[in-house]
Every structure is written in C-alpha cells, then in structure tokens.
Amino acid sequence: MKIWNSVRSLFSGKRAFVVVISIGLIIGMVFMFAGSKAVHYTSTDEYCFSCHVHPHAEQSWKLSPHYDNKSGVIVHCVECHLPPEGHGMLYAKAKHGAKDVYGYLFKDSADYKWAAKRKLEMAKKYTYVESCVRCHKNLFPKTLTVAGENAHLNYLTSKEDVSCLNCHLNVGHFDPNAKHEHDANFGVNITQNTQIYAEATPVTSFANFTEKVPGTGLTFDMVAIPAGQFIMGSSKKEPFHKPDESPMHPVKVSRFFMAKIEVSWDEYLEFFKATSSQGRKEAEVNKDVDAISGPTPPWGAPDQGWGKGSRPAITMTWKAANTYCQWLSKVTGKKYRLPTEAEWEYAARGGTKTPYFFAGSPKDYTSEGFFKKIFGADTTTINSYVAYKANSMSQTVEPASVKANAFGLKNMLGNVYEFCSDYYSPTAYAAYKKGAVNPKGPKRGKEHVIRGGSFKSDARDVRSAARDFTKTTEWLVTDPQMPKSVWWYSDCVDIGFRVVCEVDENVK
Amino acid sequence: MENNKGLNRRRFLESTALASIGLLGASVAISGCKKANNAKILGLPPILKAAPKGKKLRAGLVGVGNRGTGAALNFISSGPDLHIVALADVFQDKVDAGRERFAKLKMEIPAENCFSGFDAYKKLMALPDVDVVILATPPQFRPEHLKEAVLQNKHVFMEKPVAVDPVGIRSIIASGKKAEAIGLNIVTGTQRRHQEDYIETYKQVANGAIGKLVSARAFWNQNHVWFRTREEGWDDMTYMVRNWNNFCWLCGDHILDTHIHNIDVINWFVGRPPVSAVGYGGRARRITGDQYDFFSVDFDYGDGFFSHSMCREIDNCANNTGEFIMGTEGYTNCVNTIWNLDGSVKWKFEYPKDENGNETSSLKIPAYVQEHMHLVHSIRTGEYVNEAETTANSTLTAIMGRTSAYTGKKVTWEEIFKSDMDLGPEKIEFGSVDMQFEVPVPGTAHKA
C-alpha cells in the first residue's frame, strides 16, 4: 500500500510532468538504442548472406574489385545496396527489408529470374548513386583514360541523371563475361547519319512499320489503324461544343496507316531539298508529270527559330502539304496522302467518345473564364498528352514531350493544327448520309479542314471533335510577293500536317 | 528590494527595447545600401605588387616562340627566386635562339635541358627539377601537353586558347580536374581576368552598378596578321607548324586565337557560357591557310541574354577591340568605365598617376605579369588556383561560334560539348601531310 502511494505520488501534482517526461525519455532512449542495434545487426554481410545464398551474391562479390583489390578495402553489402545516412537510408532499409521478408516467406528462390535481375535496370533499383559518390570522391584520378574522362564529364554535365552503373555495372559483383561498356553515345555526333536508304520499307502485313525514304537517311514511324466504326462530332452537352460539330453521326472507316507524329522538319526538308526551285517560274512552267515541282524558298525562317529536327514542320500551305504527299508517294512507291477529316477524328479518338482521348473535362482544363483565371486548374493529365496554350511556351514542342493515345499516335491534339484533305463546310455533317463509309466532305470549297488545335489553343479547342479551317487570305497578309506564295503562309505559325498511307489490297 | 528589482527589470527591458530599436534602425539603414560582395565572394584573383617570397621555383618553357619567350620573362619578373631552367620546341633553331636570348639576360640554360622535336615536351616534363611548365605552343598541342604536365606533377601556366576542338577541350577539362585532385595549380593566359581595371569594373557590375545585364557586344577587328611564306626544303608539316597561325587545325581560326579574350570577358561578366550560337563568316582577303577572315556570331546565353560577337582580320576597315555590356541601369566597356543610361559617366577606374601627377592610361604591373604573380602566389601560399575549366569553356564558346559560321547551322552547347570533332591529323610527324584544306562553305548550294 505504501509503495502504491509513493508511486501514485509520483504522478500527482507538479511531479507528474517531470516523471512522465523522464519515462518518455528513457523509453525513447531504449527504443533508439535497440533500434540502432537492430539496424546495425541487420546490416552486416553475414545477416545479408543468411538469406541471399545464391551464388551471385557472396561468391561474385568476393571476386569483384569491391572485395578483391590491392588496397584491402572491402565494400560491404549495405554500402552499395542502401543509400548513405541522410539520403533516406532508413526508408530504403524498410522498403527492401519488407520485400526481402515477403520473398522469404512466399517465394521460391528457384523461381527468380536471376539473369534478368543482374541487368542494368534492376541493378539501378538496388544500388544507389549516392553510395558510389560517397566513397569515390575523386572522379578524375591521374590514370583515367580518355573514355573515362568523357564518361565522367558526361556524368557531371548531363541534365539527365546518369547512373554510375551505366558504365560500372560489374564492379560490385564479378561477371567473367562482362564487357566494360562506357557511354557509347558520348562524343558521337548524333546529327551524322551516313546511311542512305536505297529502298522504301516493304509492307507485307498490316502492322506498324518504319518507313525509309529512299535516297535519304530518313525514317519515320507509321502506325496501323484498324478499320472500325465511331460516332463523329460532339453533342450539344459537350462543354464548348460548337454548331459545326453536329449533328453527331456514325461513320465507318477502313483500315489505314497513319504517321506516329506530325511531319517533322527533318522529313519536310528532305522534300524541300529534293524538289525546291530557286524561282517561281520553273515551278509553274514544269509540266513534266513525272517530276514534282516543290516549294519556292520561304521569305523568313519558317521554323521561327524554334529548332528543326523532330519538331513539326510548320507554315507550309495546304498545297505544299499535299505536294509533299505526292513526292513521298513517288519516292516510296506507296500511296501517301493527307487524312480525311473522318479518318483524322477516328484516329484521334482512339476508341474514346469523350471530349479528349484521356480523362477530364474541357471545363476543368480551360484557362478561360473569370473563375479559371483566378483559381487556375489541375491540368496534370492534359499536360502530359497535349501541347497547348497553357504549357507550350508559345512554340511547337518535340514529340517526345507528350504521351501517345491508344493507337500510339502522338500530338493528335495540340502542338500544331493538321491539314485534312476535305474542304471545310460548317454544315458538312448534316449533308452526310446515314452510316457513311469513308466520307470525304463537300465536293467543292475554298478552304480546307484543319483539326487538332495547336500550341496556341485553349483546352476548349483541342477537343477531339473541335473543327477549324484554313484562312488563306488572312494567313498571307504580310507576304510581300505578288502574286503571294502558294507554298508558305507568312502569317500562320501553328499549322502542319500528318500523313496517312493507304493499305495495299494484297496486304492481309 | 522587490520594488527595486521590478524597477530594474523594467528599466532593463526599456533599455534593451531601445537598443533593439536602434539596432533595427541601423540594420534597416545598412540594408538600404546595397551590400557589396568582396573579391573573395566573387572569386576574383588577388592583385599583387609582386609574388611572395618562398621556395625556389624552376620553370620549363614549352614552345620557344615570341609569346613563349615573353611568357617566360613575365614569369621570371613576377617575383623573387624564379628561374627558367629548360626549353622545348619542335624546331632546334627556335631552341637555340631562345637559349641565346636567355644567355644574354645572364640566364644560362644547360644544353642537357634543351630539347627539340615533337616529343621535346615529354623530355622536358620528365626533368625532376622542373616545378612549373609554361605551355606556349600552338593550341593544337595544348591538351596533350597539359595531360603530360599533370602526369608529371608540374604546376602549369598555359596560353589561350587551350585547344582547337571539342575533343581537346574535354581533355583540358579532365586534365584540369586531375590537377585539382592532386593540388597542381593552373593559370591561363586570359589576362583580362587578372587585369586590375577589369577586375574593379567586374566588381562594380557584380554588385549591381548597371542593374540586370541585358545584352552584350564583343569585338576583335584588326588588320591582317602574320604569315610565313613557305621556304625551300620545308616539308608540309614544317610549313604548317611554322605558319600555324593560318591553319585551323593548329590555331583554331582567329575567333579562337584573338577574339577569345572578348568572348571570355562576356562569359566572365555574365557568369555562364552561352547555350547556343548562330553565326556566319567568310574569307575575302586571305591568301594563305584555310581560315576565314571575318566572323559574326550571335551567342544566346538563355534567360533572354544575347551577345553579339564579331571579329575580322582585314586591312583598312573599321577596327576596334573590346567588350560592351548593357544593363537595365547603365552600361560598361568592362575595362574601366560605367555609364548611366543617359550617357553620363557613373564610375571610372582610377589609373595610377605619373611623376607629374597626371593620370596614366595603364596599370603599373602589366596583366601579363600579374597572371604569373597569381600562379607563383598560389604555389607558394597554398591558395589554390585552377583556371583550366573556365578557359576551356571560353575556348569552347569560340569553337561553337566558329562551327556555326563554318556550317551555317545553329550549334548548341550540348552538341559542341559532346562533339567528336577532332581537327588534328592522326599522327603528328614531319614529312608530307595528307590533309585537305578546303575553306568551309556554309549551307548547301543554290540551284540554277
């Protein structure tokens, strides 16, 4: 009773506070001590080898330069397979520990694909660059080779993360068959492409292929788009629906190939080199049907100084785009052309009926309107698929910067408007017969359909159903020539095109 | 007592409150003025009257031409107990002439320390008594020489430009890093960075004297430079190395050879190398070699900053050399004056006065000597210096501009830094050389 009282007195009045704190401290210290002991105990080589009994672990480690070296320094398991303290060591330990325990309890080591686990991609998951750098502070020892210098300079200056393991894959675990692979791309001029293709790629089956342009070193990817039916246009309920997008109507489309990306500057400039004429006269007088006369030189810099390469070629007229297709058909022996509007929308939707081929409502993504301007919007999803006003920095983007749709096509929405072969009419859809098959739009017209919106467009105009059309006069206002160019729009910087290729009947 | 305590405490509180208000006021007043960064924070080299005393330093000169000999004399005159003890040059006559010149200055260089031939540098650097090497050969050879110097544990003074192609540049940077790891000092001949007037102007600009930097211009426009006419008995290699200033593979063209000074100043003031270059150039007057005689390059530094760079070597044209940087609150010639936007002078560097009390227009200690003082100072005091990478970056900037002019293409830093461009022949030896020396023509041909 007396004891009980004295214990109780500890927890009453002012004392209680001190006592609780002290007990907490003691428990904490014990816990920390035990924790640290546990971390220490489970971080020894012996502990690791108690589970990792496969020969790739201990045996290959003992043959590697991290164990078997003249300096006598032995690098232990955790020094590579856990990041150093202060770099998320405990978190990594918990993560790997949980995985190990799960594997120990539920998996059979015979089932592991050991060869795959020793590949670079896997090795990167279980080896930490911070760990390498912690020990290897001097990346430029006196004896470093030129290849090593280049690789280490690349590591120091590259904007992307370069893993030490890219080159030093087998230093922790010895592999008698390993070759030292240094960064093969470094020091190589990537623009150099000396292989000139003699023949176009033969297409024998209905599958994606990479076209080779004969007489050039150029290739581009074509995607096989299977035949199907879809509902073209949008309903009045779709946010930002415009009258020319209705009535909605079912359309059947035959199979075709479509270019994975918009025609790039690399591609367009091959055409320009091959067909361009110095003066206008030659282009107009040339009546030789076998020869394709191409664009005259542009006045300004049609790439706007944004760079060429794989960025979409822009500012060419519809006629120029159409002529490109004729040239491409001639050199490859295939039937390349601009897509019809129906083909374009079918390809852009990739089987979806929603405003975009990805999730989300145009209402959420638009930056127009009073509230949107104040509060902004969560545009993570649209940003990953579309280059539009909100994320483009007012210029075209590289195709690599966005994700593809379900067919594997990139930049169908956004980046640049794309020419279609159809003439534009706001009432085109009403004129379609029910159950139209491969419709081609009005027979006559002045302007052509353009689709997909551009890097200048708001989210409301990059919907799959949104339509627009060329504005020839407006886009040639500042062209100083008389008559004005038929090859280049002087006042439109966000238009380009994408080619489709017809499927030969013999292709199964 | 209690009262007293309370009162004291109150007084104490009052006085501390007052004091803190005072401090606050003072700190507001201080922060009202712009806090000036000092030389150390800005990474500026020391300006010295002479290199400090210390252990005897013996230098070997690699490349005994006019600049090399000059650099060697600059080295000797930069402080006490500094000696030239070895010479190396491709040509024996150059070595002999150099030996004679040093002998006249009462500096006998023993014959066994004089070497000629393409491997002369190796023999010189193998001498254990040499502490410092001065690299003053045509820039084509610099990367190889620096590499060997680091391998042989020598401190280095090397002339600019430091290479002629990206392969050489990467070698220089790597050798620089190897030198750093073992504490070898490296100073380069971009002397504007050691020139007191430039340094003082840099301090002003770095501390905001012209506001945010907006754009820049850099010039090196001059008359045609020297060339050697081929003499009887000279093989291809002899002719080219003797006439090195006229061959791109040896000197990198004049955008590297001379204009690099201005390009280096812009890089220094802006604080980074450019991200890309678009330039052009051509050849209108030259009769020897394979180089251009004018370049005009637009360097894009990113963040909206551009520098227009031009250089020309043609007689009887408008000539000027120098740099100009425009800022939001003024502009500067980078060397001694800062103007307000309205053209009035905001700040001027004060040059030393002569015996009559008139201000002179130059520094008492030439920058050519100042840079050697810096090197000797670093070796003797342990205040480490290594300018290899900075000068390599400025050289690469010039190479990027040259490549853009030669090809007509836009060239990015990324491309040129990783490029495999290597201008040198596979083997460097005397005899006939199987190399084409066509003058580059940008772009593709017009059609008829």
Side-chain angles (χ1 to χ4, degrees), chain A residues 260-280:
Chain A
K260 185 176 180 180
I261 62 168
E262 290 139 341
V263 171
S264 68
W265 273 116
D266 281 343
E267 295 164 38
Y268 195 74
L269 289 176
E270 285 297 343
F271 156 69
F272 187 77
K273 256 196 280 179
T275 66
S276 70
S277 47
Q278 190 80 21
R280 297 167 59 89

Side-chain angles (χ1 to χ4, degrees), chain A residues 275-290:
Chain A
T275 66
S276 70
S277 47
Q278 190 80 21
R280 297 167 59 89
K281 227 173 187 174
E282 189 194 351
E284 283 156 14
V285 168
N286 198 336
K287 291 278 193 304
D288 186 354
V289 279
D290 285 343

Side-chain angles (χ1 to χ4, degrees), chain A residues 199-215:
Chain A
E199 277 175 34
T201 308
V203 172
T204 50
S205 65
F206 186 64
N208 294 359
F209 69 97
T210 301
E211 182 67 285
K212 293 175 186 154
V213 183

Side-chain angles (χ1 to χ4, degrees), chain A residues 18 27 31 108 112 154 182 207 296 316 351 361 395 432:
Chain A
V18 178
I27 292 175
F31 186 75
D108 185 348
Y112 283 113
N154 187 33
H182 65 84
T296 50
M316 78 295 289
S361 163
Q395 62 182 44
Y432 284 153

Side-chain angles (χ1 to χ4, degrees), chain A residues 120-397:
Chain A
L120 176 63
E121 285 317 303
M122 292 300 274
K124 276 186 190 170
K125 282 189 185 171
Y126 299 110
T127 317
Y128 292 82
V129 173
E130 296 91 337
S131 309
C132 305
V133 178
R134 181 184 53 175
C135 293
H136 297 276
K137 289 208 164 67
N138 180 15
L139 297 184
F140 291 88
K142 248 165 119 176
T143 49
L144 191 64
T145 60
V146 173
E149 290 173 0
N150 281 338
H152 286 184
L153 283 176
N154 187 33
Y155 168 75
L156 290 181
T157 57
S158 180
K159 281 174 196 146
E160 288 113 48
D161 276 344
V162 179
S163 170
C164 304
L165 300 183
N166 284 358
C167 300
H168 305 284
L169 185 56
N170 301 297
V171 288
H173 294 283
F174 182 70
D175 177 357
N177 303 316
K179 275 187 287 182
H180 181 85
E181 286 180 67
H182 65 84
D183 189 344
N185 290 329
F186 196 83
V188 173
N189 217 338
I190 42 163
T191 49
Q192 244 173 14
N193 190 345
T194 44
Q195 195 190 354
I196 303 292
Y197 300 112
E199 277 175 34
T201 308
V203 172
T204 50
S205 65
F206 186 64
N208 294 359
F209 69 97
T210 301
E211 182 67 285
K212 293 175 186 154
V213 183
T216 75
L218 196 66
T219 62
F220 58 89
D221 292 336
M222 295 295 288
V223 177
I225 311 286
Q229 185 168 13
F230 78 111
I231 305 294
M232 195 167 172
S234 66
S235 77
K236 281 180 186 163
K237 285 180 196 158
E238 183 166 310
F240 308 117
H241 160 91
K242 283 186 186 150
D244 69 349
E245 296 165 21
S246 58
M248 289 167 81
H249 57 285
V251 171
K252 271 190 181 160
V253 180
S254 309
R255 61 186 185 159
F256 59 96
F257 296 104
M258 190 174 222
K260 185 176 180 180
I261 62 168
E262 290 139 341
V263 171
S264 68
W265 273 116
D266 281 343
E267 295 164 38
Y268 195 74
L269 289 176
E270 285 297 343
F271 156 69
F272 187 77
K273 256 196 280 179
T275 66
S276 70
S277 47
Q278 190 80 21
R280 297 167 59 89
K281 227 173 187 174
E282 189 194 351
E284 283 156 14
V285 168
N286 198 336
K287 291 278 193 304
D288 186 354
V289 279
D290 285 343
I292 289 162
S293 58
T296 50
W299 281 95
D303 72 329
Q304 306 294 311
W306 300 335
K308 298 195 177 84
S310 60
R311 280 179 201 268
I314 49 175
T315 84
M316 78 295 289
T317 61
W318 186 91
K319 177 193 163 82
N322 202 40
T323 310
Y324 173 88
C325 296
Q326 290 172 22
W327 168 79
L328 192 59
S329 303
K330 187 167 170 281
V331 292
T332 59
K334 300 192 180 77
K335 284 179 191 161
Y336 278 98
R337 57 171 173 77
L338 294 173
T340 66
E341 187 176 10
E343 283 167 342
W344 190 94
E345 187 170 327
Y346 174 67
R349 287 187 174 280
T352 63
K353 294 172 185 171
T354 43
Y356 307 116
F357 63 77
F358 46 87
S361 163
K363 268 192 193 162
D364 298 331
Y365 295 146
T366 180
S367 54
E368 289 177 16
F370 180 70
F371 287 106
K372 275 284 141 52
K373 284 203 169 118
I374 295 174
F375 298 112
D378 177 11
T379 51
T380 321
T381 309
I382 189 170
N383 281 340
S384 64
Y385 288 103
V386 186
Y388 68 121
K389 190 165 81 181
N391 66 1
S392 68
M393 306 286 281
S394 301
Q395 62 182 44
T396 57
V397 303

Side-chain angles (χ1 to χ4, degrees), chain B residues 405-426:
Chain B
Y406 279 2
T407 60
K409 300 252 159 64
K410 174 176 174 174
V411 180
T412 66
W413 183 263
E414 190 93 3
E415 280 165 6
I416 204 73
F417 190 82
K418 295 186 173 183
S419 165
D420 58 355
M421 184 200 296
D422 182 355
L423 302 182
E426 260 175 45

